[in-house]
Amino acid sequence: MAKEMSADQEKFFTLILANKKIIYKICHTFCKDPEDRKDLAQEIIIQLWNSANRYDPQYQLSTWIYRIALNVAISFQRSESRRKKHFADSMISFPDIFVPESQSLSADENIAFLYQFIDQMDALNKALILLYLDDLSYREIAAILGISESNVGTKLGRLKQKLKTQFANLQN
Amino acid sequence: MDLKDLKNIWQSHDKKLDENIRLNNEILKKMNLDKTHHEVQRFSVTPYLGLIVGLLTLLYLGGFIYHHAGMLRFLIPAGLIASFALFQLLFSIYQTSMLRTINYEAPVTGIQKKLMSLSVSRIRYLTITRFAYPLLWLPVLIVALQGIWGIDFYDELNWQWFTIQISLGAAFSIFGIWLSFAYALNKIRSPFLHKLLENIATYDITGQNLITAAGYLAEIKAFEKEG
């Protein structure tokens, strides 16, 4: 029989619901494999729950969520043992937290190109471009990543150059 | 196409997400939210275990040394084990104090740097302990025989056997530590030896985990750097 949810859990699930897009996009940016995505989404939610009582209201809620979710995602991506574990468990399939994914989402060619472009980056640059695409200000990006605003600008400038080169290569 | 175009694509994707994804509430409710198995937790049991084992070993050895004062043949092996236990204790204290400073709500680069530093120090610690065992088993045997059963190891000692054991243990430990710390895999030219060492790399005898962790650490530092 399903356990009764506490008021705290109800409140927490409302928060997750309101910010589901952030978790979804981070999972899709950091994991190509659908099984990995499910694991990552669960890890992010668990970590958000564990950190909920330490939330500092001086930061925006979205900043807090981005920080935790990105820290978990980067650690997840770097964890080789997890990849090995996943390989061992690859025959078992768990249900996804996100349902159902419409065909139109993954069939979008532009989005496919975008994810392909992001996929070539290292973990920190992935986080940077994701925050930029989510329309966060340089100041917010700097606060989430822990680098200066000018450094954010420089790095985005470099990514712009890289994108131009890649796009030119694609056309040739 | 530039970053602004990508942003436009992303924003239209974002709007579609609103309509197309929903959370699987049943799965969410069934999730054991108190289950924690992310990277930090992986480290959290080991240091506390190290603290307890180190403290208990030092306490026992303190008594043993007190009761065998002036008996050098017991004091040397007991001293060796005590040094190792002290090293284990100090490392555990360092790790537990580092763990207290890690919280995932902090800026990404700072937390990732701490996690990687923790990982590097943990790998170094594991390498040292792994290669210390061949040297330590004999002192442990001497102390355990005397301390638990009152048997004097030296009474029945074959010195030739003893010398071989000590030499082999020392050679294996020194070679192993050198191999790990010198990142020797990259320096080995023989394809056969390279393959062999690669196959046993799960034990990190070749220092590959250390190379990977140190590489990530360098990557984070480079990302933080201006310009």
Side-chain angles (χ1 to χ4, degrees), chain A residues 28-68:
Chain A
H28 272 251
T29 306
F30 281 85
C31 299
K32 269 203 279 191
D33 186 292
E35 291 296 319
D36 281 346
R37 266 182 231 148
K38 294 176 201 172
D39 289 349
L40 177 57
Q42 291 208 17
E43 290 229 5
I44 290 172
I45 291 169
I46 288 168
Q47 188 55 42
L48 286 168
W49 169 254
N50 287 339
S51 308
N53 58 350
R54 290 195 300 267
Y55 169 63
D56 183 351
Q58 72 160 307
Y59 295 109
Q60 274 186 19
L61 189 64
S62 59
T63 303
W64 179 77
I65 293 174
Y66 273 119
R67 274 183 178 175
I68 292 175

Side-chain angles (χ1 to χ4, degrees), chain B:
Chain B
M1 189 178 277
D2 69 9
L3 281 182
K4 278 200 179 128
D5 299 319
L6 291 188
K7 201 183 233 180
N8 292 334
I9 298 170
W10 191 258
Q11 297 301 329
S12 63
H13 174 59
D14 203 74
K15 276 183 198 130
K16 280 185 199 166
L17 284 180
D18 271 331
E19 298 150 18
N20 286 295
I21 59 159
R22 64 180 176 83
L23 283 167
N24 188 336
N25 287 330
E26 281 310 303
I27 295 297
L28 263 180
K29 282 172 194 167
K30 277 181 193 161
M31 269 177 73
N32 180 3
L33 286 172
D34 295 319
K35 193 177 88 182
T36 52
H37 50 92
H38 60 89
E39 186 137 350
V40 176
Q41 263 64 34
R42 209 155 54 87
F43 296 113
S44 60
V45 182
T46 324
Y48 288 107
L49 209 69
L51 263 174
I52 295 164
V53 172
L55 265 174
L56 288 176
T57 314
L58 279 175
L59 272 174
Y60 176 78
L61 287 171
F64 182 89
I65 289 169
Y66 177 76
H67 287 110
H68 296 83
M71 300 167 84
L72 216 56
R73 64 186 200 280
F74 292 122
L75 289 183
I76 291 173
L80 265 173
I81 308 167
S83 317
F84 181 72
L86 189 67
F87 165 69
Q88 195 175 29
L89 189 73
L90 291 175
F91 181 77
S92 301
I93 292 169
Y94 163 75
Q95 272 221 314
T96 40
S97 60
M98 279 279 282
L99 277 169
R100 282 171 184 275
T101 66
I102 290 175
N103 69 62
Y104 271 34
E105 305 96 277
V108 173
T109 47
I111 289 305
Q112 292 303 318
K113 215 158 58 176
K114 275 184 187 165
L115 278 173
M116 277 304 121
S117 303
L118 203 63
S119 191
V120 167
S121 64
R122 187 168 165 268
I123 294 166
R124 284 190 193 282
Y125 167 78
L126 287 175
T127 308
I128 290 170
T129 48
R130 191 171 298 129
F131 290 111
Y133 291 139
L135 268 182
L136 277 179
W137 78 268
L138 210 51
V140 168
L141 184 71
I142 295 167
V143 171
L145 282 176
Q146 177 65 19
I148 301 168
W149 294 288
I151 301 169
D152 189 339
F153 172 82
Y154 298 96
D155 285 348
E156 305 294 328
L157 183 63
N158 175 339
W159 280 100
Q160 200 182 359
W161 175 86
F162 182 75
T163 316
I164 292 171
Q165 290 301 322
I166 290 283
S167 313
L168 279 178
F172 182 75
S173 297
I174 293 165
F175 176 69
I177 290 172
W178 170 81
L179 202 59
S180 303
F181 280 81
Y183 309 151
L185 192 67
N186 297 331
K187 294 176 187 168
I188 293 166
R189 300 244 166 108
S190 155
F192 171 73
L193 203 55
H194 201 280
K195 194 79 199 160
L196 181 76
L197 287 171
E198 232 177 26
N199 286 336
I200 52 176
T202 40
Y203 300 103
D204 203 29
I205 200 169
T206 55
Q208 282 301 290
N209 291 343
L210 193 59
I211 297 171
T212 311
Y216 285 146
L217 199 56
E219 194 180 296
I220 300 163
K221 284 178 182 166
F223 186 84
E224 273 183 315
K225 218 169 144 186
E226 295 270 348

